[in-house]
Amino acid sequence: MTSSKVPGLFARIERFPIAGSFTISRGAKTEAVTVVAEVSQNGLTGRGECVPYPRYGETPEATLAAILAMQDAVRGGLDRQALQAAMKPGAARNALDCALIDLEAKAAGRRAWNLLDRPEPGVRTTAYTISLGTPEAMAAATAKAAHRPLLKIKLGGEGDPERIASVRKAAPESELVVDANEAWTLANLEANLAACAAVGVTLVEQPLPAGRDDALAMIKRPVAVCADESVHTRKTLASLRDRYDAVNIKLDKTGGLTEALAMADAAQALGFEIMIGCMVATSLSMAPAMLVTPQARFVDLDGPLLLARDRDHGLRYDESLVYPPDAALWG
């Protein structure tokens, strides 16, 4: 930590093992690879964490380089408002945006939600994710989590009606959200939506690939549909109104909490329901996202629950209840 009056920017790649593995339609992984940004000034340090996502052409190394490329700008007094134009939306900007907010809150001696004039986040129920697998494997995993009130079920295309039926049988009381991660096709879209409706699924995330989801506007949707890969920032919202009922806001997509909060306001004004989502990451990634939860119908901030270990001062989880961050963690 530096005590210089001139802010300094530091960043590093960190790795956290996943408990078992995490599988979606695009593949499996056994560790969460995050990039942490730290901005230090006057003996205080603000931190932010991001998860580079290969789906969007991001790598940990390139994300680290993009953050470190902002060192001169930070030393020159870059603030989070100027940051929005200085970097493109994505994981790198997210880490730096959250670090700047954390530092600003510490310097002011205020919690981040007070600083940003937002409601204080309360205790919320988070979804718990069931990885993609065979119907039998998913049923077994679901049975262990059937006491949780909200489950997020990863699906993958062919065989999904059997998967979701098995999951529902294993968790008859849980609210179910399905995430297809762009894996459905025009050929199976309506059958898969019907299978989800038949077992009482509340919401289906991103059934079709981004950019090839026009069919959602041409059918009667028996289940509410949520955009994830199809939506990143406020600029994309208006064009999605005929295709989607909800949007998944993730700070790694929006490029930070600053844009995420503005996007939540805009999405509400357009009539979308809001999910606040996450990548598999530590509590340092979840903490800023908690500020969006007062506007969210669905909270999906279970990343740390999927890890073998979290970082120090992590968020408090009581089964599926997630609590606001302590100041020792962030904000």
Side-chain angles (χ1 to χ4, degrees):
M1 182 182 295
T2 179
S3 60
S4 171
K5 293 183 178 180
V6 177
L9 171 61
F10 312 89
R12 62 186 177 274
I13 296 172
E14 296 184 346
R15 299 174 185 273
F16 293 83
I18 292 173
S21 67
F22 179 76
T23 305
I24 64 173
S25 62
R26 282 187 284 272
K29 60 181 181 178
T30 58
E31 65 177 1
V33 183
T34 74
V35 182
V36 175
E38 294 184 345
V39 181
S40 296
Q41 186 177 24
N42 295 329
L44 301 172
T45 298
R47 300 185 302 164
E49 178 183 274
C50 69
V51 179
Y53 198 20
R55 167 68 177 78
Y56 304 129
E58 297 175 332
T59 66
E61 294 75 18
T63 298
L64 177 66
I67 294 170
L68 293 176
M70 300 302 294
Q71 285 178 314
D72 287 345
V74 169
R75 281 194 290 266
L78 178 81
D79 60 19
R80 58 188 173 83
Q81 288 80 17
L83 175 67
Q84 308 310 305
M87 297 183 76
K88 65 181 182 180
R93 194 178 80 182
N94 175 32
L96 186 48
D97 183 66
C98 292
L100 289 170
I101 293 172
D102 188 28
L103 178 62
E104 190 178 346
K106 288 175 177 173
R110 305 171 66 191
R111 295 310 309 266
W113 47 84
N114 299 134
L115 184 77
L116 300 175
D117 194 26
R118 291 283 169 165
E120 180 176 353
V123 181
R124 292 296 303 269
T125 296
T126 179
Y128 182 80
T129 301
I130 303 297
S131 287
L132 176 65
T134 64
E136 296 76 18
M138 294 183 71
T142 301
K144 296 177 182 178
H147 62 287
R148 295 181 181 273
L150 178 62
L151 297 177
K152 181 170 181 175
I153 312 302
K154 293 290 187 177
L155 294 183
E158 295 302 322
D160 281 349
E162 292 76 20
R163 291 187 181 98
I164 197 60
S166 295
V167 163
R168 173 50 85 197
K169 186 175 181 180
E173 302 299 326
S174 302
E175 183 176 15
L176 301 183
V177 171
V178 157
D179 187 0
N181 284 116
E182 304 181 281
W184 293 359
T185 66
L186 295 179
N188 62 30
L189 172 63
E190 293 188 83
N192 284 344
L193 284 174
C196 288
V199 299
V201 168
T202 302
L203 187 74
V204 173
E205 271 188 82
Q206 199 67 44
L208 296 174
R212 295 183 301 202
D213 51 6
D214 290 347
L216 292 171
M218 304 174 189
I219 64 170
K220 183 176 180 180
R221 302 189 293 269
V223 180
V225 179
C226 178
D228 183 0
E229 286 85 353
S230 285
V231 63
H232 291 252
T233 65
R234 283 171 286 172
K235 293 179 180 179
T236 54
L237 285 173
S239 65
L240 301 178
R241 294 177 71 183
D242 59 343
R243 283 170 277 171
Y244 294 97
D245 309 288
V247 293
N248 188 341
I249 298 175
K250 294 178 180 174
L251 273 60
D252 282 317
K253 291 189 302 178
T254 66
L257 179 59
T258 299
E259 173 62 23
L261 290 171
M263 182 176 171
D265 292 342
Q268 280 191 320
L270 290 170
F272 289 108
E273 286 195 311
I274 293 171
M275 172 185 285
I276 177 63
C278 69
M279 308 298 288
V280 182
T282 79
S283 286
L284 185 55
S285 281
M286 308 302 125
M290 285 295 295
L291 274 68
V292 187
T293 60
Q295 294 171 273
R297 161 67 176 86
F298 301 95
V299 174
D300 179 25
L301 298 178
D302 66 339
L305 296 179
L306 307 176
L307 300 178
R309 62 177 177 86
D310 196 4
R311 64 175 69 248
D312 293 342
H313 308 293
L315 291 180
R316 175 187 168 192
Y317 287 89
D318 182 5
E319 289 291 345
S320 289
L321 296 178
V322 55
Y323 290 73
D326 186 82
L329 173 66
W330 183 89

